[in-house]
Amino acid sequence: MDEAIALAEHKPKKVIVFNRKLGAKIPFKKYDVDYDALVYGSDEAPCVPVNATHPGSDEAPCVPVNATHPLYVLYTSGTTGKPKGIVRDTGGYATALKFSMQYIYGAKQDEVFWAASDVGWVVGHSYIVYGPLINRNTTVIFEGKPIRTPDASTFWRVIAEHKVSIMFTAPTAIRAIKKEDPNGKFIKQYDLSCLRTQFLAGERCDVATLEWYREHIPVPAIDHWWQTESGWPMIANMMGVEYLPIKPGSAGKAVTGYDIRIFGENGQELGPNEEGYVVIKLPLPPGTMLDLWKDNERFKAGYLNKFPGYYFSGDGGFKDDENYIFITGRVDDVINVAGHRLSTAEMEEIVSSHHSVAECAVIGINDELKGQVPLALVVNKSGEDIEHFQLQHEVVLLVREQIGAVASLRDVVIVQRLPKTRSGKILRKLLRSIADGENFQIPSTIDDEAIIDEVREEFIKAKIGSFR
């Protein structure tokens, strides 16, 4: 926090610090305020003395605002490495969340709702804080991991202890539990009769995970799809309206208020089972983004200009002949790591800042646990004599420091050159296909086909992706 404040142009006046009492000694700065002292005026506040003139906090009165008043700005990854500030309104958002709690999640007043996410992400804003409270539900705020805290029974213990009726988490969490407890022995230790529905989102839920859940927990496991930009689900099985049959791989059908189409490259609407761009006819329903913070031109360029009259989601997918929608993935270079959208362009900028790296490419490759993980391919500068393990350690550390552990970059492969078109564009899709063991066509514009075998050889030696 101190380093972030040092780098920031805007300096906050105060930082509220909560002491977890884990034994760490943290030197307090002049802007730090102890949580216990602020809220309770406690003389036993462990970090800083209570200010005698302000022994605790006064209750803040509610302030009426217009329905269109901005509620928050939430940043999400952009394809160019420059984050986008999603601006949300107040009235429309509250309306959408109330509607979604009742008709999508099927939550009844006074029931316990648990979104196992982070308050700082859109799921946390919408369904840890605002949505459940607007709908008069008890909301569970959980900190920790589904495994090794202390074991893979954590989720089931919380559900049983707090009588959770509806839970929401990412497929990654279920995959992690499945890996640690494949036979579901921990599940049998708890009474989960209170649980009515399990919702999954943040990334596409693979069939194996869905089937494992069905085998061990006899409640519907509902995959659904939405974005930071929408603020609430766009595709779902609306449990408060009608429980539709689940089709593994599909996020369900379009939610009320969203007219979702599949377009081809030239803006023509595609038929059943034809894959294309996922777009939504304007106007969008309440609760969706108003704009990008101080960047209206980027808002129009990124979401509205590609298909006039439609919102461009940035995802690809198709509808089947029963209007179930299948999301196949991003059509840009944003990757989905355990439900978190991360920009490979941003990672490339960080990797290329290493003093030994001449050029690089970061791609997302398939991962059984997290859906996707980043892989960095680097070309060293001529004359650089650095051991591979040292370069990998330093590059991973750079990304971790500037993006965070959520980036999950572990593998760095040194190559002699990167596959490019004759115009110099790196062929990232080709690299992903090689790493994932997928069939691919060699682009006619490739500069030198021999590079493909060179890259494959390095992947084999490093045991990357499908070569493990």
Side-chain angles (χ1 to χ4, degrees):
M1 178 64 72
D2 292 336
E3 186 178 352
I5 291 172
L7 294 171
E9 292 181 13
H10 171 75
K11 310 289 185 184
K13 293 180 180 179
K14 300 292 181 183
V15 174
I16 300 172
V17 179
F18 179 74
N19 189 337
R20 299 174 184 275
K21 301 178 179 67
L22 298 176
K25 293 184 178 180
I26 304 171
F28 264 59
K29 301 291 176 49
K30 62 181 180 180
Y31 46 68
D32 288 334
V33 177
D34 180 76
Y35 176 85
D36 288 333
L38 175 67
V39 175
Y40 305 112
S42 170
D43 290 330
E44 299 178 0
C47 298
V48 295
V50 178
N51 185 337
T53 62
H54 188 71
S57 59
D58 299 323
E59 184 175 340
C62 294
V63 178
V65 297
N66 292 331
T68 54
H69 187 85
L71 178 65
Y72 62 74
V73 179
L74 189 62
Y75 279 82
T76 184
S77 295
T79 58
T80 61
K82 180 184 176 185
K84 302 173 289 187
I86 306 299
V87 181
R88 191 85 63 211
D89 71 351
T90 302
Y93 187 47
T95 302
L97 293 180
K98 170 65 176 173
F99 176 87
S100 67
M101 288 296 296
Q102 184 174 350
Y103 293 107
I104 296 175
Y105 297 107
K108 301 171 183 141
Q109 290 188 12
D110 301 321
E111 288 187 320
V112 180
F113 186 91
W114 180 22
S117 184
D118 189 316
V119 174
W121 295 85
V122 69
V123 174
H125 280 54
S126 294
Y127 295 111
I128 294 177
V129 181
Y130 299 115
L133 299 182
I134 288 171
N135 200 51
R136 299 179 65 86
N137 294 115
T138 297
T139 182
V140 176
I141 300 178
F142 170 81
E143 184 176 32
K145 296 182 178 180
I147 59 173
R148 299 174 188 171
T149 55
D151 52 40
S153 70
T154 302
F155 274 14
W156 321 129
R157 173 181 57 80
V158 172
I159 290 170
E161 287 181 0
H162 296 282
K163 300 293 186 282
V164 174
S165 298
I166 302 161
M167 186 190 177
F168 178 160
T169 192
T172 296
I174 304 301
R175 282 196 289 266
I177 295 170
K178 174 186 165 195
K179 182 180 179 183
E180 295 285 321
D181 185 24
N183 298 318
K185 68 175 184 178
F186 286 119
I187 299 172
K188 299 178 179 69
Q189 297 176 7
Y190 295 93
D191 178 6
L192 303 180
S193 59
C194 58
L195 185 66
R196 188 169 70 250
T197 319
Q198 172 74 64
F199 280 87
L200 301 165
E203 59 189 311
R204 190 171 82 72
C205 183
D206 58 282
V207 176
T209 299
L210 197 63
E211 289 180 346
W212 180 87
Y213 192 95
R214 282 176 172 175
E215 178 186 348
H216 294 287
I217 303 178
V219 303
I222 308 295
D223 194 6
H224 62 322
W225 175 83
W226 49 297
Q227 300 176 320
T228 302
E229 290 86 344
S230 70
W232 61 292
M234 296 188 274
I235 302 171
N237 197 327
M238 298 182 68
M239 297 298 288
V241 178
E242 179 186 4
Y243 175 32
L244 299 173
I246 294 172
K247 290 191 177 184
S250 170
K253 296 187 178 184
V255 167
T256 305
Y258 291 97
D259 183 355
I260 298 177
R261 316 277 184 95
I262 308 297
F263 277 7
E265 186 66 46
N266 297 319
Q268 76 279 18
E269 187 167 1
L270 301 180
N273 301 308
E274 291 185 289
E275 185 175 343
Y277 296 104
V278 177
V279 302
I280 304 163
K281 194 175 190 306
L282 299 176
L284 297 178
T288 54
M289 67 188 296
L290 295 179
D291 201 348
L292 293 180
W293 181 249
K294 295 185 177 181
D295 205 346
N296 182 255
E297 288 304 313
R298 189 179 182 199
F299 169 67
K300 290 187 287 188
Y303 300 101
L304 306 179
N305 290 352
K306 186 173 180 67
F307 300 108
Y310 292 83
Y311 166 87
F312 173 50
S313 72
D315 278 337
F318 63 92
K319 288 183 182 182
D320 69 7
D321 51 10
E322 293 183 307
N323 283 323
Y324 280 80
I325 302 172
F326 296 74
I327 302 296
T328 54
R330 298 297 297 171
V331 297
D332 53 25
D333 286 322
V334 171
I335 63 173
N336 196 319
V337 180
H340 302 306
R341 286 175 57 194
L342 300 170
S343 168
T344 54
E346 184 180 4
M347 286 191 228
E348 285 182 4
E349 187 172 348
I350 296 168
V351 174
S352 63
S353 70
H354 189 280
H355 59 83
S356 294
V357 174
E359 62 176 340
C360 69
V362 176
I363 58 172
I365 62 173
N366 291 336
D367 180 77
E368 184 178 347
L369 178 62
K370 297 188 176 183
Q372 284 185 302
V373 291
L375 167 68
L377 292 87
V378 302
V379 178
N380 279 349
K381 292 178 180 176
S382 298
E384 282 286 336
D385 186 20
I386 183 171
E387 293 289 339
H388 177 260
F389 77 89
Q390 182 184 347
L391 177 65
Q392 177 164 293
H393 172 74
E394 292 176 1
V395 165
V396 168
L397 196 61
L398 274 175
V399 173
R400 188 184 181 94
E401 286 175 348
Q402 297 186 46
I403 294 180
V406 70
S408 295
L409 177 65
R410 297 288 183 272
D411 293 317
V412 178
V413 176
I414 298 175
V415 294
Q416 294 300 311
R417 50 186 181 158
L418 295 167
K420 299 179 183 179
T421 64
R422 286 185 287 274
S423 62
K425 181 180 177 182
I426 297 172
L427 295 166
R428 291 177 178 82
K429 184 177 180 182
L430 175 64
L431 289 170
R432 285 194 295 270
S433 297
I434 296 172
D436 291 337
E438 297 175 349
N439 293 328
F440 59 89
Q441 288 185 326
I442 299 173
S444 59
T445 55
I446 193 169
D447 184 48
D448 185 351
E449 290 187 19
I451 299 176
I452 296 173
D453 290 332
E454 295 173 12
V455 169
R456 184 186 283 112
E457 188 64 32
E458 293 301 330
F459 284 177
I460 292 170
K461 285 197 296 186
K463 297 181 179 179
I464 296 297
S466 63
F467 301 101
R468 291 188 187 279

